[in-house]
Amino acid sequence: MSFRSIVKKAIPIGLFERIEPMGHLIEAIAANIRYGFPSKSMHVIGVTGTNGKTTTSFMIHKMLSKAGLKVGLLTTVAYGVNDDIHPQIAHMTTVSAPLLQKRLAEFKAQGVEWVVLETTSHALVQHRVWGVPYEIAVMTNITHEHLDYHKTFARYVAAKRRLFQIAARHGMRLGIVNADDEHAATFLSATPNSLAYGIKTGELTANDISLTAEGSEYTAEVGGDSYAIRCRIPGEFNVYNSLAAVAVGRKIGLSKQQIEDGIKSLEGVEGRMTVIDEGQPFGVIIDYAHTPDSFEKLLHDLRPVVKGKLVVVFGSAGRRDEEKRAVQGEIAAKYADEVVLTEEDDRDIDGQEIMDEIALGAEKVGKTRERDLFLVHDRREAIIFAFSRVSKKEDTVILLGKGHEKDILRPGPRAAELRHLKQDDGDPERVISVPWSEAEEARKALQALAK
């Protein structure tokens, strides 16, 4: 049992939440001592931001691995060394301090030289990454998310900025910042040695961009040097993600060829613009997008490519940022011909209430229930229903929100009774975990449709 679990059982309800960050800090210190501060012998690259963290981390990891380095990866989706990658099951990006240090110790035992660590605002505020000597810090973008935890957007930005402050204390090699993000200056000010990248502005820029359904090609230019980049994951947002990877490769001394080949070699990331093909006459895509910004970027890029009907299926998590729900509904309705609302991870919250909140945004821009806006709470049924709404090769259904995740969180038998208490996903009376694979469910539905 972890330090946190022991303390939680011993301290009255409500008090633990007030001392929780210090509990995490003590736990992190103890874990570092137990495993001998394993990251001290490795070069750590931290990637933070609202969207794009996972894909950027995979791009960097693949690029370094292909260049012949021994590289550890720790992300929302997976962890491992070079090509030996394992699924990440937990519903958190940066795992608990004991598990993080255990995995870093395993990396050290395998002779890992570099670690790419996807780092969240929660992990930074809760000291889960205490003792990790980041050398390079990457900021992908900052948009509306996690205000249920941070309470204000300013506190959320400050939490993300901590990565750069930590890296600066450890003699940061480089801070890599999205220059096109409106909060870039906040991060650059915390960075003694920086490189700003972007499409519109920055020292490292993407020029002559060609976007297709299969990915993008562009020329990256910085300091008189140029790189012919081919990114095999579609979307303009992945141009930004790959630019961040170029910046990392350049800083650590990879050759032009190693950078170009490394980025080109990443075929995809599970649950990120994943195409499902069971021979059906229409397109099916799965993506983890679950924030307003990721919705806007993804659907903005996808809409011109889809010549037929575009159907978007999604929900919004219970016990998470409630303010974004109507915004997500509005964005999806703006781009999609039809919107199907469903569950994401209700936890101990009434799923109908969540769908109704999302629907308000969709209705704001003209969608009408039972005409082009449908509420189908069971996610399996929602996927089947969405597939019944399309039939032509020009049509596309996109399933958002679950991506790579391997379970879905639903209300437990006493969810309504215990809802007034602070959230605890670990209490089976309040929240139950049901095995789930978005890709598998989509394939089953398509196979049944074909019979």
Side-chain angles (χ1 to χ4, degrees), residues 393-406:
K393 66 178 182 179
E394 296 85 5
D395 300 339
T396 296
V397 176
I398 184 160
L399 311 175
L400 302 179
K402 291 302 292 178
H404 64 283
E405 292 181 342
K406 298 298 182 278

Side-chain angles (χ1 to χ4, degrees), residues 33 100-101 126 138 166 169 185 261 292 311 323 333 427 437:
I33 293 171
L100 172 62
Q101 295 303 322
Q126 294 174 356
V138 179
I166 293 169
R169 289 198 297 271
D261 289 348
V311 179
E323 294 180 18
D427 182 354
S437 166

Side-chain angles (χ1 to χ4, degrees), residues 42-46 114 133-137 167 170-175:
M42 295 178 278
H43 307 288
V44 182
I45 301 167
W114 288 86
Y134 293 96
E135 288 187 16
I136 296 175
H170 287 284
M172 173 190 283
R173 278 191 179 196
L174 186 66

